[in-house]
Amino acid sequence: MIERLTILGVGLIGGSLALALRKAGAVREIVGVGRSPENLQLAVERGIIDRFTHDARAGVAGADMVFLGAPVASIVPLALEIRPALAPGAVVTDGGSTKATIAEALRLPYASPPEYEDGDKETPPAFVPGHPIAGTEKSGAGAAFAELFEGRRSILTPVAETPQWAVERVRAMWAHAGADVEIMTPAHHDTVLAAISHLPHAAAYALVDAVRSLEESSGQSILGFAAGGFADITRIAASDPVMWRDIFLANKPAILQALGTYEKALAELRGYLEADDGAALERYIGRAKLARERLPVGQVKPTL
Amino acid sequence: MIERLTILGVGLIGGSLALALRKAGAVREIVGVGRSPENLQLAVERGIIDRFTHDARAGVAGADMVFLGAPVASIVPLALEIRPALAPGAVVTDGGSTKATIAEALRLPYASPPEYEDGDKETPPAFVPGHPIAGTEKSGAGAAFAELFEGRRSILTPVAETPQWAVERVRAMWAHAGADVEIMTPAHHDTVLAAISHLPHAAAYALVDAVRSLEESSGQSILGFAAGGFADITRIAASDPVMWRDIFLANKPAILQALGTYEKALAELRGYLEADDGAALERYIGRAKLARERLPVGQVKPTL
């Protein structure tokens, strides 16, 4: 049971976590922290939080669990800001979609010496880097719903300084919310996310940009003919530019590696076409079709 | 009114055209030609065609309109094969998703001297290159439905040798089927399709291939974490390898141009990331978001 959960950033993810934990009877009190009074008021009206404040340090006082639902670029500053105000033994976790940068920056400020255990009065606060793989195209407390995490994965990426008792408390929280918890290194998380989320976003942005540029150079309408296939493949290109700028910057090394692999894959395909190599084209397309069939699409919900 | 329509390839497109024209009362008799007796029998049972034959030349005898619903690589051979068996003044059109290669190859065999008009007894058969921009993920006569073309575009790409009367007859046919007819050059058609359909397919194949390759080199599961966003953007990578091999080869120049533009767009994005240029990243992503908002997505149906 979480006695007091403080959520910094009561949006789709933080709000849905609150609703899921309430539904599971796994939390006693929930405090919201954010900048928008309208969003926080709506969160109170929807029963997501019990009360709110705009002051992060005041908000986390006395909390035994803190969830940082802020944009990826704000997580480290926020975690450092609240650090002095945390109660002994408080556990902080986040939902940022890149992990290596965050885990590295908070490694020392949240290091918890191994002599302390969960429940000890003097135990320093701990930080457990996390990322629930869930989402929809909507945002804000108004979009939150209790079932968002059901059957979805929530990834935790503890480092050497992260105490096991803190990992277990965050794992239990996500399990109560209905998620399947996976533990991996921050680096592997970032490779996975670069591959299945960040690279597809880059591919979609570049695709729209290329078509826009082809339209410009042809001087005739092209985008006006786009139908469902193009709309499907570029849907994620409608995401927020500031949020995605920050995700790209935060996961730079893994994304550059994924982009390099993608550029090689495109060049291979182009080479077969240039050489009129029908057999190689067919093999290449068939291999992609087979790989795609391995996706867990049965489990897919609106997403990532 | 079409007196006798012969459809070579009674699949999703040809079958839906037949159903739409019947519904509009715009055709008297429909003959199907194909290889699979099961598919043709099903087409008879569904009221798509009145009768069928496996012999293309016998099938087109006496037809005033012929629709080639065959795969893109079979259209030219088929059009040449039936040429001697066509009635005077018969109009042949197709649904192939690339146009320059087809229009060029049939330019002379179907040239119709300007002294002949529609209705003249001696008028040679004409060929009008066409491409209805419609489709679903299903195929075969069983997937056909009368409403497939409603509100969708059907593109005609006549060349200098294509008589105007033949263009008007094909235009009237697609209008009866509910489509908005657009006339453009074969080259512009191929540029448009390369941009909005062929390039996105190439991008999706390469994306799946890149992730497969990242998974291989990391030695850990990656595809298993893919959620809705990745499934959306790679949905078209589940298309038939043989069909797409042929489309790539048939539209090679336009696709290579589109791929080159895409590779430049990706390299631009990568450059901004390598330089940690947040402002340029944000501008780039914002520009893609704006261009995507110009898509006629309101009209989008399952597709292309």
Side-chain angles (χ1 to χ4, degrees):
Chain A
M1 172 69 80
I2 297 168
E3 292 298 327
R4 182 183 295 169
L5 168 66
T6 297
I7 295 178
L8 290 90
V10 190
L12 172 68
I13 301 295
S16 295
L17 175 61
L19 289 173
L21 294 175
R22 284 217 200 269
K23 197 176 154 192
V27 62
R28 215 175 298 278
E29 186 192 9
I30 306 183
V31 179
V33 177
R35 270 178 302 195
S36 157
E38 293 78 17
N39 186 62
L40 291 165
Q41 191 51 52
L42 177 65
V44 170
E45 282 157 21
R46 293 198 60 208
I48 294 172
I49 55 177
D50 297 298
R51 55 187 175 85
F52 64 83
T53 165
H54 301 300
D55 180 333
R57 288 193 181 182
V60 302
D64 50 336
M65 179 69 78
V66 174
F67 178 74
L68 304 177
V72 75
S74 310
I75 289 170
V76 170
L78 211 47
L80 295 176
E81 180 189 346
I82 61 173
R83 175 67 186 77
L86 291 166
V91 174
V92 181
T93 186
D94 74 316
S97 50
T98 73
K99 293 272 68 73
T101 316
I102 292 170
E104 196 50 47
L106 300 177
R107 184 187 281 269
L108 295 184
Y110 278 88
S112 187
E115 60 268 30
Y116 295 104
E117 291 188 11
D118 195 9
D120 284 0
K121 269 200 170 167
E122 304 298 311
T123 304
F127 178 76
V128 182
H131 180 206
I133 311 285
T136 69
E137 286 160 6
K138 296 178 188 160
S139 60
F145 60 102
E147 297 76 21
L148 179 60
F149 307 108
E150 277 176 19
R152 302 304 300 271
R153 318 249 194 150
S154 193
I155 299 176
L156 303 183
T157 65
V159 291
E161 289 79 1
T162 317
Q164 190 54 35
W165 60 264
V167 174
E168 291 311 322
R169 275 168 61 192
V170 177
R171 185 206 288 272
M173 177 178 80
W174 284 114
H176 279 305
D180 297 326
V181 178
E182 299 258 351
I183 310 276
M184 58 179 74
T185 64
H188 186 60
H189 167 277
D190 287 1
T191 297
V192 167
L193 267 285
I196 64 165
S197 172
H198 310 161
L199 173 61
H201 275 81
Y205 293 134
L207 190 55
V208 174
D209 197 63
V211 173
R212 183 197 59 73
S213 148
L214 286 164
E215 183 172 72
E216 231 172 69
S217 62
S218 87
Q220 290 181 272
S221 170
I222 290 183
L223 281 167
F225 289 95
F230 190 78
D232 273 359
I233 198 172
T234 61
R235 180 158 299 119
I236 56 180
S239 326
D240 180 52
V242 172
M243 179 175 135
W244 278 92
R245 174 200 68 191
D246 290 344
I247 290 175
F248 281 171
L249 293 172
N251 200 17
K252 177 176 165 177
I255 295 177
L256 285 179
Q257 195 209 352
L259 268 174
T261 306
Y262 184 47
E263 288 178 297
K264 269 192 216 118
L266 273 171
E268 183 183 345
L269 182 60
R270 178 167 46 75
Y272 296 146
L273 184 53
E274 279 167 348
D276 287 310
D277 191 342
L281 276 177
E282 190 182 335
R283 262 199 316 277
Y284 185 100
I285 298 172
R287 193 172 66 185
K289 187 175 156 74
L290 271 180
R292 193 185 180 280
E293 281 162 5
R294 286 167 44 213
L295 294 189
V297 269
Q299 317 168 14
V300 168
K301 301 188 189 172
T303 182
L304 204 53
Chain B
M1 172 67 85
I2 297 168
E3 293 298 325
R4 182 184 294 168
L5 168 66
T6 298
I7 295 177
L8 290 89
V10 189
L12 172 68
I13 301 295
S16 296
L17 175 61
L19 289 172
L21 294 175
R22 284 213 200 272
K23 196 176 156 194
V27 62
R28 215 175 300 278
E29 186 191 9
I30 306 183
V31 179
V33 178
R35 271 180 299 195
S36 156
E38 293 77 18
N39 186 61
L40 291 164
Q41 191 52 52
L42 177 65
V44 169
E45 282 158 21
R46 294 198 59 207
I48 295 172
I49 54 176
D50 298 298
R51 56 187 174 84
F52 65 82
T53 164
H54 301 300
D55 180 333
R57 290 193 179 182
V60 301
D64 50 335
M65 181 69 79
V66 174
F67 178 75
L68 305 177
V72 75
S74 310
I75 288 171
V76 170
L78 212 47
L80 295 175
E81 180 189 346
I82 61 172
R83 175 67 185 75
L86 292 166
V91 174
V92 181
T93 186
D94 74 316
S97 51
T98 73
K99 295 271 67 74
T101 315
I102 291 170
E104 196 50 49
L106 300 177
R107 185 187 279 272
L108 295 183
Y110 278 87
S112 185
E115 61 267 27
Y116 295 106
E117 293 186 8
D118 195 11
D120 285 1
K121 270 199 168 166
E122 304 299 310
T123 304
F127 177 75
V128 181
H131 180 206
I133 311 284
T136 70
E137 287 163 4
K138 296 178 188 161
S139 60
F145 59 103
E147 298 74 22
L148 179 60
F149 306 107
E150 276 175 20
R152 303 304 301 271
R153 317 247 197 156
S154 191
I155 299 176
L156 304 183
T157 65
V159 291
E161 289 78 1
T162 317
Q164 192 53 36
W165 61 264
V167 173
E168 291 311 320
R169 277 168 60 191
V170 176
R171 184 205 289 272
M173 177 178 81
W174 283 114
H176 279 303
D180 297 326
V181 178
E182 299 258 351
I183 310 276
M184 60 179 71
T185 63
H188 186 59
H189 168 278
D190 286 1
T191 297
V192 167
L193 267 286
I196 64 166
S197 172
H198 310 161
L199 173 61
H201 275 81
Y205 292 134
L207 191 54
V208 175
D209 197 62
V211 174
R212 183 197 58 73
S213 148
L214 286 164
E215 183 172 73
E216 232 173 69
S217 62
S218 88
Q220 289 182 274
S221 171
I222 290 184
L223 280 166
F225 289 94
F230 190 78
D232 273 359
I233 197 173
T234 60
R235 181 157 300 119
I236 57 179
S239 324
D240 181 52
V242 172
M243 181 174 130
W244 279 92
R245 174 199 68 192
D246 290 343
I247 290 175
F248 281 171
L249 292 172
N251 200 19
K252 176 178 166 178
I255 294 175
L256 285 179
Q257 194 208 350
L259 268 173
T261 307
Y262 184 48
E263 289 178 296
K264 269 192 217 118
L266 274 171
E268 183 183 344
L269 181 61
R270 179 167 44 76
Y272 296 145
L273 184 54
E274 277 167 349
D276 287 309
D277 190 342
L281 275 178
E282 191 183 337
R283 261 199 316 277
Y284 184 99
I285 297 173
R287 192 172 68 185
K289 185 175 158 73
L290 272 180
R292 193 185 179 279
E293 282 162 4
R294 288 166 45 214
L295 293 190
V297 270
Q299 316 168 15
V300 167
K301 302 188 188 170
T303 180
L304 205 54

